[in-house]
Amino acid sequence: MKNLQKDKISRHCKTTMKKKEKGILFGTLAVTFMALIWLIIRSGTRIDRLRYPCQRTSLNIVIVGMPLIGSLIGESKVLSYLKRKKIRFLLLTVAVVLAGGLIFFYLPFPDFISSILSSETIYAENNQNLKLTPLYSASPVSRIYIAQGKNTTHSLNLLLSFMNEKGLSLYETSSKNGIISKDDTVLIKVNGEWEERGGTNTDLLKTFIQKILEHPEGFIGEVVVVENGQWAIHLDSPRSNAEDITQSFRKVVDYFQNQGYKVSLYDWTQIGGIAGNIVVIDENEREKDGYVDMPQGVSYPIFTTKFGTRISLKDGIWKDGRYDKSKLKFINMPVLKSHSLMGVTAAVKHYMGVLSTSLCNDGFDQHEGIVYEGLLGKLMTQVIYPDLNILDANYIGVSSRGPASSYESAYRANIVLASKNPIALDYYAGKYILYPLTRFERHNPDNKDTSRYGRYPYNSFRQYLRASLEELKKAGYQVTMDEKEIQTYVLQPKM
């Protein structure tokens, strides 16, 4: 009798254990699968969203759940049950789908994922004082104008007035040389790939457009805000970089359009980005919008604005049966930020939002092309060189997760810089603004450490500036990274 009772208890325990094993297996499978579905739906290919708390939790569940499922499936008692029920193949298939989904969506970005999932380092705190260092040159090749005001709008107004005092006028008039004529079509390239402090400050954009419209001879031209976010685009984001964070790029454009001005927005992502469509066209295309693919990773858009202006970024404005580049002006308006792959992103790196990375198919990835081949310098020489670079350093990206830059991590400086030379501008901004704040050697353009840092050199910033500089010099542009050839004009309130 006692043995019979023991057998019953033993069978009951085994049955209970099997039920628990099955419950754990299917529960883990269900939770992991739901986490992956949530991750794909909520993030997709927009890798910047992986830093959101819900997405990070989901990704952690998937990473932990997949090996756990494998170990449970591999356990002999579970295997025997699955064989009897003939569903082992189904579960293995689901596990493969989970792994495949994760790899398909996120394996192309291993360094970026690492920077997002690792503990965040904020390199600078807002209580640090930032003293702007002046540079003097007896024979300047490049001039940089710098202003620090009370806020973004004040800083830009100071900067433009200061530039005019020092001999560089925003306005081209019948009696004065300058940058923008009354009948120009002005393209303003912003950073719309990132939300929060990672995108171009929309207060800066709004103030600059207003200045264009205040041309002393009466502006009758057109302003177009442009961007190719490649894999993510946030032109309508309610989490923008502004005092009023709901002020998106589109809201800025609508503000002027509603007053009757010819100000529009063109999202190049929709014709040349992973987040949109890849439309490849010939340079002689007159109707369809798209990207022209050139050798060595270079590409450029041809498009028609809301107001009917046909523009080839390379050749200019289509009028009277031909392209004319004399009335097309290109303003480069990036944000100063740390970059987990390239060290620093500013004026030069901002040109990644001009080409289509989907067409960088000449035997190197785009970042290798930037570092070793001078890809962005080639883009400037072969397609369009900026008429003016306005560097947004109002909120500086000092996080290890750059180019993402959150509201909490950004360093508020209220600084705006401008130069016609993107190389000198980046050199100065990296060495004398970002690097003094962070003391992170990857931000130092004089760093000569070429050892590997993930997939790219530790001094990627220095290398890609030099590679682009060489391409620009070969094409005859006067650019420099030599401090003895750089003159700065600094307008900063006394501390």
Side-chain angles (χ1 to χ4, degrees), residues 149-355:
K150 299 174 183 177
N151 53 46
T152 303
T153 297
H154 185 230
S155 297
L156 181 60
N157 286 330
L158 287 176
L159 177 73
L160 296 177
S161 296
F162 193 45
M163 285 168 52
N164 187 56
E165 288 178 18
K166 299 300 179 182
L168 179 60
S169 173
L170 178 64
Y171 305 120
E172 173 91 18
T173 67
S174 56
S175 60
K176 189 174 185 179
N177 292 329
I179 298 169
I180 297 173
S181 298
K182 66 177 182 179
D183 55 349
D184 282 340
T185 294
V186 184
L187 304 184
I188 305 176
K189 166 66 176 74
V190 297
N191 186 326
E193 183 179 11
W194 299 94
E195 293 180 297
E196 301 190 14
R197 302 304 183 200
T200 299
N201 191 297
T202 59
D203 291 326
L204 183 73
L205 174 66
K206 187 176 182 180
T207 304
F208 187 70
I209 294 176
Q210 185 63 52
K211 285 295 183 183
I212 294 174
L213 300 177
E214 292 172 358
H215 195 287
E217 293 184 338
F219 188 74
I220 58 173
E222 185 175 347
V223 177
V224 190
V225 179
V226 294
E227 164 69 318
N228 185 341
Q230 311 298 349
W231 54 270
I233 190 69
H234 300 292
L235 300 177
D236 300 287
S237 176
R239 299 198 318 280
S240 297
N241 184 4
E243 294 305 307
D244 172 9
I245 63 173
T246 66
Q247 179 184 259
S248 66
F249 295 106
R250 192 170 299 280
K251 282 186 176 180
V252 169
V253 167
D254 289 346
Y255 170 81
F256 292 107
Q257 270 191 24
N258 292 338
Q259 298 178 62
Y261 293 110
K262 294 175 72 174
V263 178
S264 64
L265 183 68
Y266 197 102
D267 182 6
W268 288 339
T269 317
Q270 302 309 313
I271 58 172
I274 298 171
N277 300 300
I278 313 299
V279 182
V280 181
I281 60 174
D282 183 82
E283 64 178 1
N284 296 314
E285 174 63 47
R286 297 287 179 261
E287 301 294 333
K288 187 166 63 173
D289 293 0
Y291 265 79
V292 177
D293 193 10
M294 297 173 65
Q296 297 181 305
V298 175
S299 58
Y300 67 92
I302 299 178
F303 61 102
T304 301
T305 73
K306 179 177 181 177
F307 299 101
T309 305
R310 184 69 174 173
I311 299 173
S312 164
L313 194 62
K314 175 175 175 286
D315 297 315
I317 299 168
W318 182 258
K319 189 176 181 180
D320 300 328
R322 65 183 182 88
Y323 279 115
D324 180 6
K325 206 168 185 177
S326 66
K327 289 300 177 182
L328 182 66
K329 298 298 166 60
F330 190 78
I331 307 298
N332 188 26
M333 192 177 282
V335 186
L336 177 60
K337 300 184 291 182
S338 176
H339 195 286
S340 58
L341 302 184
M342 297 289 100
V344 176
T345 174
V348 176
K349 179 68 171 58
H350 197 226
Y351 260 62
M352 280 290 284
V354 173
L355 54 73

Side-chain angles (χ1 to χ4, degrees), residues 13-28:
C13 290
K14 288 180 179 179
T15 302
T16 302
M17 288 297 293
K18 286 179 180 178
K19 288 181 179 179
K20 287 183 177 179
E21 288 171 353
K22 287 184 286 183
I24 293 171
L25 171 62
F26 290 114
T28 304

Side-chain angles (χ1 to χ4, degrees), residues 10 16 29 51 59 106 152 155 158 168 181 198 233 260 272 284 293 344 388 399 403 411 420 427 455-456:
S10 177
T16 302
L29 183 64
R51 65 182 178 81
L59 184 56
Y106 303 116
T152 303
S155 297
L158 287 176
L168 179 60
S181 298
I233 190 69
N284 296 314
D293 193 10
V344 176
L388 184 66
S399 168
Y411 176 92
K420 303 195 81 171
Y427 176 89
R455 286 181 294 167
Y456 304 105

Side-chain angles (χ1 to χ4, degrees), residues 457-485:
Y458 188 79
N459 69 340
S460 289
F461 179 41
R462 173 184 172 84
Q463 289 202 42
Y464 84 68
L465 283 186
R466 293 201 67 83
S468 289
L469 178 143
E470 293 304 321
E471 291 298 324
L472 289 165
K473 278 190 169 181
K474 283 192 292 185
Y477 288 92
Q478 296 296 305
V479 291
T480 186
M481 288 175 62
D482 185 346
E483 290 189 19
K484 296 189 293 294
E485 298 178 335

Side-chain angles (χ1 to χ4, degrees), residues 72-110:
L72 287 169
I73 292 176
E75 205 277 326
S76 58
K77 293 179 181 177
V78 177
L79 274 178
S80 62
Y81 171 80
L82 295 177
K83 287 178 181 177
R84 289 199 306 274
K85 297 297 183 181
K86 298 181 181 180
I87 59 173
R88 181 185 179 192
F89 176 77
L90 176 61
L91 285 176
L92 288 174
T93 301
V94 172
V96 169
V97 170
L98 289 173
L102 189 66
I103 291 170
F104 176 78
F105 280 99
Y106 303 116
L107 191 59
F109 310 96

Side-chain angles (χ1 to χ4, degrees), residues 364-426:
F364 56 84
D365 76 23
Q366 59 267 24
H367 286 103
E368 288 181 346
I370 292 169
V371 174
Y372 301 116
E373 307 292 336
L375 172 58
L376 301 180
K378 290 176 181 176
L379 181 61
M380 291 180 188
T381 62
Q382 296 177 26
V383 178
I384 194 165
Y385 187 80
D387 293 282
L388 184 66
N389 303 277
I390 299 178
L391 182 55
D392 175 9
N394 290 284
Y395 291 91
I396 301 171
V398 293
S399 168
S400 59
R401 293 179 185 159
S405 182
S406 67
Y407 293 127
E408 297 77 18
S409 67
Y411 176 92
R412 183 164 191 171
N414 292 332
I415 295 173
V416 184
L417 306 88
S419 179
K420 303 195 81 171
N421 176 357
I423 303 291
L425 181 61
D426 283 8

